[in-house]
Amino acid sequence: MTLTRAATTSEIVAHLRTLGNDSNVEGMSRFGIATETALGISNPDLQKLAKSIGRDHGRALELWKTGVREARMLAIYTADPKVMTRDEMEAWASDFASWEIVDAAADLLTETPYWRELIEQFAGDDREFVRRTAFSMIAGATVHNKSEPDKTLIAYLPLIERHAGDERNFVKKAVNWALRNIGKRNRTCHGPALVLAEKLATSDDRTARWIGKDALRELSSDKILAKLKP
């Protein structure tokens, strides 16, 4: 069955169920992906399906409500960031329970007009996956939002420092990712990020120290320094 842009939510979900693969579900769980509602369809296959059905924001909201992991990934791939409201995104964030969903949604969010405000809001939220979203957004924006001024990203370094002591696995890895990506963006961003990495590397806090040392290792590597040469 080939789905088209006219496909309904129920038709899409029914089609997804025919593509399920239990072996893939087991593999996903080994990578820390939440699989309670997973059907075992790979993201490349979902991305191909997303191209077939096209962008439809209303349908994306319906797909999200199904709770099915693959339907939610399709929702992210086919939602329209230009019309998505903050209320809708906050509702999605309340459902976040997997790093994979968070990181895919973070890429969508950095295309919205209010992404900067959401970073501040989500960073201040104590829920693990909501806070991860903030730092995944920073990491993504450094790469995808090429026209964004460097000063916007550099201004998030104090936020990174503020939450560097959050020892929860999915938060600390995202904080580390955000710091490294800022530092790798260009020479202007590299210096301030390296200074923070050096500071965190000597912190009395174990989690902050891990984040700092790991970021410092990459940002001071020959590979990165060569890439950032004028």
Side-chain angles (χ1 to χ4, degrees):
M1 178 182 178
T2 301
L3 295 179
T4 67
R5 293 176 179 272
T8 64
T9 299
S10 58
E11 289 172 338
I12 293 169
V13 174
H15 180 64
L16 290 173
R17 294 192 185 283
T18 69
L19 303 177
N21 186 313
D22 291 341
S23 295
N24 286 350
V25 173
E26 293 178 9
M28 289 174 179
S29 64
R30 289 195 291 272
F31 285 95
I33 295 172
T35 58
E36 291 81 359
T37 66
L39 300 175
I41 305 170
S42 72
N43 286 342
D45 285 343
L46 290 173
Q47 288 164 351
K48 290 178 184 177
L49 183 56
K51 289 182 179 179
S52 297
I53 64 175
R55 181 164 284 176
D56 184 321
H57 191 68
R59 187 181 59 198
L61 297 177
E62 293 175 357
L63 285 167
W64 184 268
K65 290 179 181 178
T66 68
V68 177
R69 175 252 173 197
E70 282 76 5
R72 284 188 165 178
M73 291 299 288
L74 279 180
I76 292 168
Y77 294 149
T78 61
D80 187 344
K82 304 306 179 187
V83 302
M84 190 163 204
T85 68
R86 287 187 66 165
D87 285 345
E88 289 167 351
M89 196 59 250
E90 288 167 2
W92 281 22
S94 295
D95 293 331
F96 287 166
S98 177
W99 67 264
E100 175 202 35
I101 291 287
V102 165
D103 294 355
D107 283 343
L108 172 71
L109 280 178
T110 57
E111 297 181 53
T112 65
Y114 48 83
W115 68 272
R116 301 167 195 82
E117 292 85 354
L118 275 185
I119 285 176
E120 296 288 348
Q121 177 183 338
F122 286 167
D125 195 304
D126 194 50
R127 290 172 291 181
E128 182 175 9
F129 288 104
V130 178
R131 181 168 291 170
R132 178 186 174 91
T133 306
F135 295 99
S136 293
M137 288 173 67
I138 295 171
T142 63
V143 177
H144 303 306
N145 296 22
K146 299 185 184 301
S147 63
E148 192 66 34
D150 292 332
K151 64 181 181 181
T152 301
L153 287 313
I154 293 172
Y156 287 122
L157 291 174
L159 190 68
I160 288 172
E161 182 176 6
R162 192 181 315 151
H163 293 288
D166 192 324
E167 63 183 1
R168 292 174 296 180
N169 186 52
F170 293 111
V171 175
K172 73 176 184 180
K173 287 187 175 181
V175 172
N176 171 264
W177 182 23
L179 176 57
R180 288 186 292 108
N181 272 18
I182 291 174
K184 291 186 292 183
R185 192 180 204 224
N186 53 41
R187 291 192 67 82
T188 299
C189 293
H190 181 264
L194 187 65
V195 168
L196 178 56
E198 291 171 338
K199 180 180 180 180
L200 294 177
T202 61
S203 173
D204 293 334
D205 183 272
R206 181 177 62 179
T207 301
R209 192 164 60 247
W210 175 84
I211 290 171
K213 286 184 176 181
D214 187 74
L216 182 60
R217 187 181 304 112
E218 182 172 16
L219 296 181
S220 60
S221 68
D222 291 340
K223 180 181 178 180
I224 296 301
L225 294 177
K227 181 181 177 182
L228 295 175
K229 280 184 178 180

